[in-house]
């Protein structure tokens, strides 16, 4: 129970003398004492009742109050029967030590207050313990498998009076009890959670927003999170784990209630793992389509795979005549953390409409990953067209809008050693256009990578005209373009075994970072600089210029 509840109970005859800002403290027990030093009998959380017999003069108040404050008592209630008004020196000492002070009317016996507090606290503890036992039984029988996280959160609300929400790492509300949280609050909660995880703070994490305290509990599935099998580094899971936000201050909760909330996170984690498993089909579809696109399969074969994918991604709407490709990459300093799985999980989340609650929208996104890169195949329902006009795509993605809401929490999760770059293609209406769309999205991502900042995106409209045209030019023109740039390097490699082509590929893949590229190739930076200089000498190009980087990149991809 809270101190505020005692003050509001008229039968107890309490009058507040100081500590208005501390009335939400939890009372765990009651103790009556007139000892000058009662510390050996205090465990914290008590309401201390005293008749002031310990006070001989004004100098005694400060030491007594300090002992109580150091012991962590909830508050002090002083009786008026002995001295009449409560001494000013005691009032001042309590204010200095931020200890709430009450005056007890002389007509109210300490036994009355003690009996009331003991009855209330014992009842709450018994109720909590009974709730723990009953909740575990009910959650296991009617939990996620019987209705998803919302069922679990509804039980918390109805039985424990706790409002709670499940949020993604980007701040999207996946489930909730009662009114949904405002997007800004969701983003702030997710950002605080990610920042706490990155700095190694133990949960639950607490944050106050607009005067309301929230406690944040991580939701980690099997194989994710610190200490989980196969997880070597927190960065492998920090951008994919859900979190449970509870509107309460868990700092003063008993162990039983904390155990209950941990059990709730485990149940929700089971649901998270089940949904991850359900994504396997969509991921496989994306992988199959993209492999066909990248290996130059005939458009008819790609179209056949799209016809299989469309009903899965857009159930009930038939085939999707328009598609977009989104490419994302997560890079960590040092290059020892695989970025592909992280980027895949993150891209699946980013592409969900942040204004839509629940997990269902993410079930219509197919994302594959290759190396450190994640590639999303996004279907776009077609708008109805006027007679004589071609149908256009509905709700096409725009690079500058994708990261607006999620930028703040993602920056907290990436901290000072991670980076997310993202590129978006234009919409294409057939299988023939997917190869160009993939190249376009990759080039856009590289444009984003050339910008400062931890979270950057670029769209197809930001690319130069030759980047848009090259993926669609005839094969003989492709061969001539590739030979003009790469043949001098291939000839040199054959004669000197210099590995200029692999060096060029790695240099571009590392976005021109000398340190990362040298680390990947196990070379000294000076050796890398010599090789890059030789490449520039043989081709007459300058690898510090974005245009030349893009030309080399296209040549390598088309070779």
């Amino acid at each position: 129970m809270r101190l505020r509840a005692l003050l509001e109970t008229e039968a107890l005859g309490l009058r507040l003398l100081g500590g208005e800002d501390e009335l939400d403290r939890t009372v765990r027990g009651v103790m009556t004492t007139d000892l000058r030093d009662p510390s050996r009998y205090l465990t914290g959380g008590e309401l201390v009742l005293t008749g002031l017999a310990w006070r001989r003069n004004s100098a005694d108040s400060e030491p007594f109050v300090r002992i109580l404050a150091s012991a962590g008592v909830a508050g002090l209630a002083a009786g008026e029967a002995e001295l009449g008004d409560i001494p000013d020196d005691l009032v001042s000492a309590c204010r200095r030590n931020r200890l709430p002070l009450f005056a007890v009317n002389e007509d109210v016996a300490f036994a009355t207050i003690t009996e009331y507090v003991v009855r209330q606290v014992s009842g709450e503890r018994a109720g909590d313990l009974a709730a723990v036992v009953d909740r575990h039984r009910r959650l296991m029988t009617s939990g996620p498998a019987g209705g998803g996280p919302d069922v679990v959160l509804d039980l918390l609300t109805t039985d424990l009076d706790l409002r709670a929400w499940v949020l993604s790492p980007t701040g999207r509300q996946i489930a909730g009890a009662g009114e949904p949280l405002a997007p800004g609050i969701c983003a702030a909660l997710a950002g605080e959670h990610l920042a706490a995880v990155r700095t190694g703070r133990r949960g639950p994490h607490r944050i106050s927003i607009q005067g309301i305290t929230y406690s944040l509990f991580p939701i980690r599935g099997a194989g994710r999170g610190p200490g989980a099998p196969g997880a070597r580094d927190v960065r492998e899971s920090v951008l994919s784990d859900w979190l449970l936000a509870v509107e309460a201050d868990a700092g003063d909760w008993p162990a039983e209630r904390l155990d209950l909330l941990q059990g709730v996170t485990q149940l929700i984690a089971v649901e998270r793992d089940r949904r991850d498993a359900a994504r396997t089909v969509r991921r496989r579809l994306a992988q199959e389509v993209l492999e066909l696109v990248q290996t130059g399969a005939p458009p008819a074969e790609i179209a056949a795979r799209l016809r299989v994918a469309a009903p899965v991604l857009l159930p009930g709407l038939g085939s999707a005549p328009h598609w977009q490709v989104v490419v994302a990459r997560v890079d960590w300093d040092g290059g020892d953390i695989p970025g592909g799985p992280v980027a895949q999980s993150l891209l699946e989340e980013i592409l969900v409409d942040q204004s839509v609650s629940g997990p269902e929208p993410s079930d219509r996104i197919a994302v594959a990953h290759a190396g450190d890169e994640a590639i999303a195949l996004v279907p776009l329902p077609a708008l109805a067209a006027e007679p004589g006009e071609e149908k256009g795509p509905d709700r096409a993605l725009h690079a500058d809008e994708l990261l607006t809401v999620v930028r703040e929490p993602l920056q907290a999760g990436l901290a000072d050693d991670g980076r997310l770059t993202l590129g978006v293609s234009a919409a294409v209406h057939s299988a023939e256009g997917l190869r160009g769309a993939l190249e376009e999205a990759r080039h856009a991502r590289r444009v984003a990578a050339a910008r400062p900042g931890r979270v950057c995106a670029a769209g197809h409209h930001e690319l130069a005209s030759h980047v848009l045209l090259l993926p669609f030019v005839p094969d003989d023109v492709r061969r001539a373009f590739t030979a003009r740039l790469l043949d001098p390097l291939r000839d040199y490699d054959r004669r000197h075994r210099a590995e200029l082509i692999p060096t060029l590929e790695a240099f571009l893949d590392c976005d021109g970072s000398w340190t990362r590229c040298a680390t990947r190739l196990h070379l000294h930076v000076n050796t890398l600089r010599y090789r890059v200089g030789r490449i520039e000498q043989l081709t007459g190009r300058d690898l510090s210029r974005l245009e030349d980087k893009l030309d080399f990149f296209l040549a390598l991809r088309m070779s």
Side-chain angles (χ1 to χ4, degrees), residues 162-175:
L162 291 176
R163 297 179 65 205
W165 301 265
V166 176
L167 305 179
S168 77
T170 63
R172 180 174 65 91
Q173 182 173 314
I174 295 167

Side-chain angles (χ1 to χ4, degrees), residues 330-350:
V330 174
D331 292 292
W332 301 103
D333 290 354
D336 55 341
I337 305 298
V342 178
Q344 181 182 44
S345 178
L346 196 54
L347 191 52
E348 287 172 334
E349 177 60 36
I350 289 173

Side-chain angles (χ1 to χ4, degrees), residues 9 17 28 238 308 329 336 385 406 422:
T9 305
L17 300 180
R28 296 192 177 96
V238 66
V308 173
R329 178 168 173 144
D336 55 341
V406 304
L422 184 145

